[in-house]
């Protein structure tokens, strides 16, 4: 004679044990996300801004003359970069250390992704949207900015340089622009 009640109880115990284990795992993962968000400033980009990818180069913010780093009259530093198959325009941008910098990206063709090595800058660049990241670079030097989203045959050759200079070496020209050259 088999005791069905005892079997049921044993199964229930095992299930409960697994439920507690999985619940603990979920809490650990959530904790890791919250920790990374608060202490390391690693958050998903929250900007949602539309732009027509077909006319990027013709008018508006992302025309050639507006690309690169510029300083507004109120001192705000903004760097605009186009990610396109298979390069960044411009190939090199200058930013000041220890100062808030706004990075803005747009793509005229396919989905790209960018990250700046050794920093928390990491975002997708999706055609039709402006990707925006606010950050502060703390180390000076040339940082590598590769494309990290497979975008075609030339993906592995797609990279740019972010040149972080000390604040005293960051001198905008009369037009407010700062370039690598
Ligand atoms: Cu652009 Cu990969």
């Amino acid at each position: 004679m088999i005791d069905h009640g005892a079997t049921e109880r044993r199964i229930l115990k095992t299930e409960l044990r697994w439920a507690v284990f999985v619940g603990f795992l979920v809490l650990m993962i959530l904790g890791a996300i919250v920790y990374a968000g608060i202490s390391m400033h690693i958050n998903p980009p929250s900007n949602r801004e539309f732009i027509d990818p077909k006319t990027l180069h013709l008018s508006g913010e992302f025309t050639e003359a507006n690309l690169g780093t510029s300083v507004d009259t109120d001192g705000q530093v903004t760097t605009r970069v186009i990610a396109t198959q298979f390069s960044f325009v411009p190939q090199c941008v200058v930013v000041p250390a220890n100062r808030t910098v706004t990075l803005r990206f747009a793509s005229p063709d396919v989905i790209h992704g960018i990250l700046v090595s050794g920093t928390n800058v990491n975002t997708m660049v999706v055609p039709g949207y402006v990707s925006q990241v606010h950050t502060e670079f703390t180390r000076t030097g040339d940082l590598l900015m590769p494309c990290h989203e497979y975008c075609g045959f030339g993906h592995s050759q797609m990279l740019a340089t972010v040149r972080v200079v000390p604040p005293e070496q960051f001198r905008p020209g009369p037009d407010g622009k700062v370039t690598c050259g």
Side-chain angles (χ1 to χ4, degrees), residues 76-107:
Q76 171 63 47
V77 182
T78 308
T79 301
R80 295 181 179 87
V81 176
I82 282 190
T84 180
Q85 287 172 315
F86 297 100
S87 63
F88 289 98
V89 189
Q91 287 281 340
C92 174
V93 291
V94 183
V95 292
N98 307 320
R99 198 162 147 188
T100 303
V101 175
T102 302
L103 302 164
R104 286 169 68 76
F105 302 90
S107 163

Side-chain angles (χ1 to χ4, degrees), residues 51-159:
I51 194 161
D52 185 357
K54 297 192 295 292
T55 57
L56 271 190
H57 59 300
L58 297 176
S59 63
E61 186 186 340
F62 286 91
T63 52
E64 203 174 348
N66 288 335
L67 298 178
T69 301
S70 57
V71 185
D72 297 344
T73 42
D74 60 354
Q76 171 63 47
V77 182
T78 308
T79 301
R80 295 181 179 87
V81 176
I82 282 190
T84 180
Q85 287 172 315
F86 297 100
S87 63
F88 289 98
V89 189
Q91 287 281 340
C92 174
V93 291
V94 183
V95 292
N98 307 320
R99 198 162 147 188
T100 303
V101 175
T102 302
L103 302 164
R104 286 169 68 76
F105 302 90
S107 163
D109 41 44
V110 300
I111 299 178
H112 302 272
I114 64 103
L115 65 83
V116 181
S117 52
T119 72
N120 66 347
V121 178
N122 187 331
T123 184
M124 305 279 289
V125 186
V126 182
Y129 295 86
V130 177
S131 303
Q132 177 171 273
V133 180
H134 302 290
T135 194
E136 201 176 308
F137 296 95
T138 49
R139 272 179 305 152
T140 56
D142 282 5
L143 305 177
L144 209 61
M145 182 172 82
C147 178
H148 68 46
E149 183 69 37
Y150 183 76
C151 51
F153 284 130
H155 163 70
S156 57
Q157 270 78 54
M158 189 169 166
L159 46 92

Side-chain angles (χ1 to χ4, degrees), residues 24-40 42:
F24 175 72
L25 270 189
V26 169
L27 281 181
M28 279 234 319
I29 293 166
L30 277 179
I33 292 170
V34 170
Y35 173 76
I38 291 173
S39 75
M40 297 152 88
I42 296 174

